Amino acid sequence: MEHRRAWIPLSDGTRLAARLWLPETLPAPVLLEALPYRMDDLTSSYVGEYERICTEGEIAVCRLDLRGTGSSEGLATDEYPAQEQRDLQEVVAWLAEQEWSNGNVGMYGTSYSGFNSLQLACERPPALKAIQAIYATDDRYTDDVHYYGGALKALDAIDYVLYMAALVVLPPVPAVHGGEWRDAWAERVERSEPWLLRWLEEQTDGPYWRHGSVRNVRRADRSWAGYERISCPTMLVAGWADGYRNNTFRTFEALECPKRLLIGPWAHMSTATSLPGPHLDLVPETIRWFRRWLADDPNGIEHEPPVVVFVRHPTRPEPDLVEHRGVWRQEPGWPLERARALTLATDCYKDTVVLPIRGETGTAAWISCAGRLPWGQPLDQRLDDAASLCLEWELPPDTEILGHPTLMVTLSADVPVAYLGARLCSVFLDGTSALVTRGLLNLAHRSSSEQPEPLEPGKPVEVRLELEATSWVFEEGHRLRLALAGAEWPNAWPPPFPGTLDLDLGSLRLVLPVVDGPPAVREPPRLHPSSGVENHGPAAGDDGAQPVVWQVDHDVLARTVRCVVSHGVDYTGEHEAEIQERYAGEVGVSTTDPGNAWATASASYRIRWPEADVAADAVLELRSDAEAYHVVVEVTAEEIDGPFGRRERRFERRILRRLA
């Protein structure tokens, strides 16, 4: 294997920094991962995966710093801008033209690089012959870290949404970029605005969010189109504890190209080390997929059952759950031929039930896109169940659901904007309540997220709420619980007004996607055991990981609830880099006025190279009332004891809440 560095020239004169790993046998197929997360320091640990793909798969690998990030030239203006897709088309063409390339290029990656793999497949560059999207979504509005059911994400605001404001103003690596690196750094600091300001402005669905979304066109019948743009073979990898799992079944069903779906129990972490497991080594699956489509290797992967799914069985909840009970299964496609809809009703209830809107409900469910702690797993749901309207059903033993449950109910509210949150739980004999799936709807978005409409106080409306994709087997002795509440905080920002929801329980219908009968494919899938190596996180030493804080505090007299987190890590990177990452944040809400909510956070990076000692920090203060979000972001870039000095920028906005 040979390792090289390269500058990839673009038509506008910008150069992108890349690293290449070339196998011994050339020419070879090429696999590209393109990320904004700095290949030489913050994600230098990814190298182990690239080396394995190169040596075990005889595939050349290119890791790219996107425009304006890491050591690449230009400015990073937003996530997934149109310029990025244009850049990547040129990069794919450049890789295909190199003398060591066989002309066939694939794209793959986790999260951001899974997103842009799907996006570039929609553009159909001639040399792009296959993709693998891991933990990525087809819809940037409904299933990303920004909005959820028409409500602003809360916990995500103090994680990715903030830390990108600091990350994009870190300087290029001096040893890679060269002598003018401070000039490039100054341009980043002076011309970059925090992306989250635009995200707060874009509160409704529309062209901004449709760009970069595979399902990007609404038909007249309200169904989605756009998937037909992808013609190259596509493999999707998803996790039941990951926030992008809704992409899985709907995208797989809609694609008309060779396709494969692997969905396990995982959070937004490597399949080799995720909380929870069980774990597997994804690298051999990645190699097989790309060897088939980039090297014409007749390995037969296209003849195997295309859907591999981990079927979850009841497991007692823990915030750092190590392994979920369940079994692996192969399926011949999606939707399943043996699937049926089971409708559960509450006809015995004839009266309307009044549900108070409490903005603090939801702490036990925590975040919908779990990852590394403190972004952990749901807790026992009984705390939130006690503050919710709960309905229960006894199901036949071993009833299995797989897909999207749907809730339909008629309700009214006494305020113009209100939310409805729904959680499905599996209740053990001792009362333990394990979260199965959940969903949230801003009721102003009941007919459209493009053109939301306020509720008319007191007027009944019919509501349809699709819950997130899930898998669960209700074993003997387990009851199904539906818990309804007027908020899902701190996962989502609370609604603007206190008030009540009046639910007509006689109208309620819960439709479960039930799987009946034996599987069509009886053989279990052949999966590779985990390598036990974490290639998607900093390789911290014994003292590198900082204490993790995850706290929920109820101030009784102040009548507030707040959630506090902090974490960090010290590690080393390329070019003798010594790196520190520190994150801290708090979200809070009044227990009497849900419109009174806040988020404060800080994210900081420090990198010490032989040439310089640099830092970048971002601080967020986001507060709401019933009318508006009030946001302040302060960004600082500094060279410690160096000529660049310290440079600060402050961004302050008052952004009206538009039926949010």
Side-chain angles (χ1 to χ4, degrees), residues 185-260:
W185 187 13
E187 184 180 27
R188 290 182 182 181
V189 176
E190 293 164 6
R191 296 183 59 192
S192 295
E193 284 200 355
W195 300 350
L196 67 90
L197 299 176
R198 178 70 184 274
W199 300 337
L200 284 170
E201 291 280 3
E202 298 285 350
Q203 295 172 30
T204 57
D205 202 355
Y208 177 80
W209 299 112
R210 289 308 98 209
H211 169 75
S213 295
V214 177
R215 60 172 191 169
N216 74 336
V217 176
R218 278 276 204 182
R219 298 187 180 98
D221 64 359
R222 309 301 295 166
S223 65
W224 287 96
Y227 300 95
E228 69 282 352
R229 294 175 295 162
I230 296 180
S231 60
C232 69
T234 298
M235 180 175 178
L236 304 173
V237 179
W240 293 125
D242 179 70
Y244 302 142
R245 59 191 171 277
N246 291 328
N247 172 45
T248 52
F249 296 127
R250 68 188 181 208
T251 301
F252 181 86
E253 181 179 357
L255 289 174
E256 299 177 353
C257 55
K259 54 191 176 181
R260 187 169 179 83

Side-chain angles (χ1 to χ4, degrees), residues 275-343:
L275 293 176
H279 305 123
L280 62 81
D281 186 356
L282 187 60
V283 170
E285 292 294 318
T286 301
I287 290 172
R288 290 186 69 223
W289 184 251
F290 286 110
R291 288 293 307 176
R292 172 63 188 90
W293 305 111
L294 305 184
D296 199 23
D297 186 351
N299 56 31
I301 195 169
E302 75 273 27
H303 302 304
E304 298 173 5
V307 177
V308 177
V309 59
F310 182 78
V311 178
R312 298 194 299 172
H313 287 240
T315 304
R316 292 185 179 274
E318 293 289 347
D320 51 358
L321 184 65
V322 174
E323 185 162 313
H324 210 292
R325 294 178 58 240
V327 296
W328 288 100
R329 193 169 70 215
Q330 299 184 93
E331 296 288 354
W334 187 267
L336 302 181
E337 290 186 359
R338 66 186 193 284
R340 67 178 178 90
L342 172 63
T343 300

Side-chain angles (χ1 to χ4, degrees), residues 38 41 69-71 167-174 181-182 184-185 188 607 609 614-616 637-638:
R38 303 180 60 90
D41 35 61
T69 67
S71 293
L167 189 148
V168 298
V169 296
L170 279 168
V173 178
W181 66 274
R182 287 186 180 89
W185 187 13
R188 290 182 182 181
I607 306 176
W609 296 293
V614 305
E638 181 178 9

